[in-house]
Amino acid sequence: MTGDLFAGLPRGPSVETITEGALLLRAFVDEEEAAALMAAIDKVLAASPLRHMQTPGGFRMSVAMSNCGQFGWVTDRRGYRYQSLDPLAERDWPAMPEAFAALAARASAAAGFAGFDPDACLINRYEPGARMSLHQDKNELDMDQPIVSVSLGLPATFLFGGMARTDKPQRMRLESGDVVVWGGPARLAFHGVDPLRDGEHPLTGRCRYNLTFRRAR
């Protein structure tokens, strides 16, 4: 059965094991908190607007991106990296809102990774058709720290694979308020997002936002 059979039914918090070291926290963020997160996102983006970055190979990313925190993840012809300055605004990235850091710490602890203190938060906006190809998060210096990924807005199909790009990924539907946490043996698992389907969400309109928390340094 698919999640679509239960569309429109009330959801309650639950925990699903994806694989060892990776958990899906269903409905971890309620509607009130989600609205507060979106208000904080708007403030961050007013200082460091979304942009479509370029991969080292010269391809334009379909996902629009910005950052907040001590460091931000960027990509261009020089490669993938973290840096403290926003190359578009030519100043420090906006400080990470307290609500962001608190959520990341709460979610990581719920998944068994206590003490997570992120110094970078990637803000990704998916519009219909935008996708994220299978990749590993490996630009961070401390691989003992987990990744915390928060979904807001339109539902998306999340792909979670193994340690090799050729491993067949699991496919799971993420709804607004769902949080995925992975670390330990799953820290370098390949993951991605299928092209976003068109739709309308009361929180975000015709798009999906994703907050990805990391410890870069």
Side-chain angles (χ1 to χ4, degrees):
M1 293 188 298
T2 69
D4 292 337
L5 295 177
F6 302 96
L9 295 179
R11 296 197 312 146
S14 63
V15 178
E16 299 175 14
T17 299
I18 301 172
T19 189
E20 184 181 1
L23 292 176
L24 169 52
L25 310 177
R26 293 280 188 194
F28 192 79
V29 176
D30 63 24
E31 291 184 2
E32 182 178 356
E33 184 177 12
L37 293 175
M38 280 305 307
I41 288 172
D42 288 341
K43 290 182 179 179
V44 169
L45 298 183
S48 285
L50 292 163
R51 75 291 309 259
H52 292 272
M53 297 187 189
Q54 188 180 59
T55 69
F59 297 100
R60 176 182 182 271
M61 295 183 66
S62 63
V63 175
M65 183 179 297
S66 188
N67 295 272
C68 63
Q70 188 176 355
F71 299 100
W73 184 88
V74 299
T75 174
D76 54 26
R77 287 286 194 173
R78 292 185 291 157
Y80 305 117
R81 64 193 182 278
Y82 285 97
Q83 61 184 48
S84 60
L85 294 179
D86 177 350
L88 183 64
E90 297 184 336
R91 57 175 176 261
D92 290 345
W93 297 103
M96 188 182 303
E98 291 184 9
F100 284 20
L103 170 58
R106 195 172 86 245
S108 60
F113 299 98
F116 179 47
D117 183 21
D119 57 10
C121 174
L122 283 66
I123 301 173
N124 298 324
R125 185 188 67 192
Y126 291 77
E127 295 183 314
R131 62 186 292 270
M132 188 72 71
S133 60
L134 286 172
H135 65 282
Q136 296 171 298
D137 293 340
K138 58 181 181 179
N139 299 125
E140 301 76 34
L141 297 182
D142 187 357
M143 292 297 164
D144 289 333
Q145 299 296 315
I147 304 293
V148 175
S149 178
V150 181
S151 294
L152 298 170
L154 286 177
T157 300
F158 184 59
L159 311 176
F160 199 87
M163 296 300 116
R165 190 185 299 275
T166 53
D167 292 340
K168 185 177 180 180
Q170 299 183 56
R171 304 167 66 86
M172 58 206 77
R173 179 184 171 96
L174 297 184
E175 302 275 0
S176 187
D178 290 344
V179 179
V180 182
V181 182
W182 65 96
R187 176 60 179 75
L188 288 175
F190 278 87
H191 56 283
V193 178
D194 269 351
L196 189 73
R197 293 185 177 183
D198 202 354
E200 187 80 20
H201 194 278
L203 179 66
T204 60
R206 292 182 63 244
C207 66
R208 168 186 184 255
Y209 281 88
N210 169 247
L211 302 176
T212 301
F213 297 94
R214 305 175 184 175
R215 184 74 191 179
R217 303 284 174 88

